[in-house]
Amino acid sequence: MEQIELNVEIRTTKGSGAVSRMRRNGTIPAIIYGEGTTPQTVQLAEKDFDRVLRQHEASSAIYHIQVLEGGKKQQDLIALLKDTQYDPVSDRVAHLDFMHISMDKEISIKVPIVLKGTAIGLKKEGSTLEHMLRELEVICLPKDIPSQINVDVTNVDTHVSIHVRDLVLGTAVRT
């Protein structure tokens, strides 16, 4: 499980005009909610989050967020990235939603499914491999979240299916 350090600043300005200026100046507005906290509006530097996107597989990573106010640390939170909104024209990140979690309570999270290998059935003329399920919702403690679920398809022939019940997830993860 990937763990990412991220610093955010408490956002004092509100309204669409202020948020638009913030985005023009290279800052992403965000919100942190969930697990025993009141929702907090925050902001972070776009360049910091771009670095995170380039270096980490952020879909199921745990974020250690330091909430700052005036450069002074106010609190530490552990969170998951629940939603990323993009600007439809520039494709830049427009808003982030973080969900505060507890490390000792199970959570439900979607994990990507990745096919490994080349199926033997694909060597037959006219055959195709249908990848029906792209992600799987699993239940586990945050420390046990897999970054992805690998499915070996090398021995899959035509008219053969792999079901969720056939996947090996480990003892700490369940569907």
Side-chain angles (χ1 to χ4, degrees):
M1 172 81 301
E2 286 188 90
Q3 297 189 10
I4 301 168
E5 299 283 332
L6 196 61
N7 293 329
V8 300
E9 184 80 25
I10 292 178
R11 194 168 82 212
T12 55
T13 58
K14 304 229 187 284
S16 59
V19 169
S20 293
R21 282 188 297 280
M22 187 184 312
R23 288 186 184 118
R24 277 194 305 270
N25 293 329
T27 304
I28 302 171
I31 188 165
I32 303 172
Y33 57 85
E35 193 60 43
T37 62
T38 56
Q40 295 183 46
T41 55
V42 295
Q43 62 191 28
L44 63 147
E46 185 177 19
K47 64 180 174 73
D48 292 344
F49 192 72
D50 285 345
R51 176 187 44 82
V52 167
L53 286 179
R54 281 193 311 274
Q55 294 178 353
H56 300 281
E57 189 173 319
S59 63
S60 59
I62 294 177
Y63 288 82
H64 289 275
I65 299 176
Q66 289 191 2
V67 180
L68 308 171
E69 185 171 22
K72 295 182 181 177
K73 185 165 80 167
Q74 295 297 317
Q75 70 186 127
D76 284 327
L77 298 173
I78 297 173
L80 295 173
L81 181 62
K82 288 306 274 185
D83 188 33
T84 305
Q85 298 169 18
Y86 292 92
D87 182 278
V89 177
S90 67
D91 203 33
R92 291 172 52 191
V93 175
H95 192 273
L96 299 168
D97 287 10
F98 291 98
M99 185 178 78
H100 179 251
I101 59 171
S102 171
M103 290 301 282
D104 58 352
K105 288 186 181 177
E106 286 187 331
I107 59 170
S108 175
I109 187 168
K110 291 183 180 180
V111 178
I113 296 174
V114 178
L115 302 183
K116 299 287 183 178
T118 303
I120 58 173
L122 287 176
K123 295 177 182 164
K124 297 177 182 171
E125 188 174 328
S127 63
T128 60
L129 178 66
E130 292 186 37
H131 188 175
M132 303 298 279
L133 193 60
R134 303 284 175 180
E135 56 187 16
L136 179 65
E137 192 161 339
V138 298
I139 300 169
C140 61
L141 289 173
K143 68 178 179 65
D144 297 322
I145 299 171
S147 58
Q148 64 186 24
I149 298 170
N150 295 319
V151 179
D152 183 18
V153 296
T154 52
N155 295 322
V156 175
D157 204 351
T158 55
H159 306 293
V160 174
S161 298
I162 297 175
H163 300 275
V164 170
R165 67 178 175 259
D166 302 329
L167 301 178
V168 179
L169 301 175
T171 57
V173 181
R174 63 183 175 22
T175 56

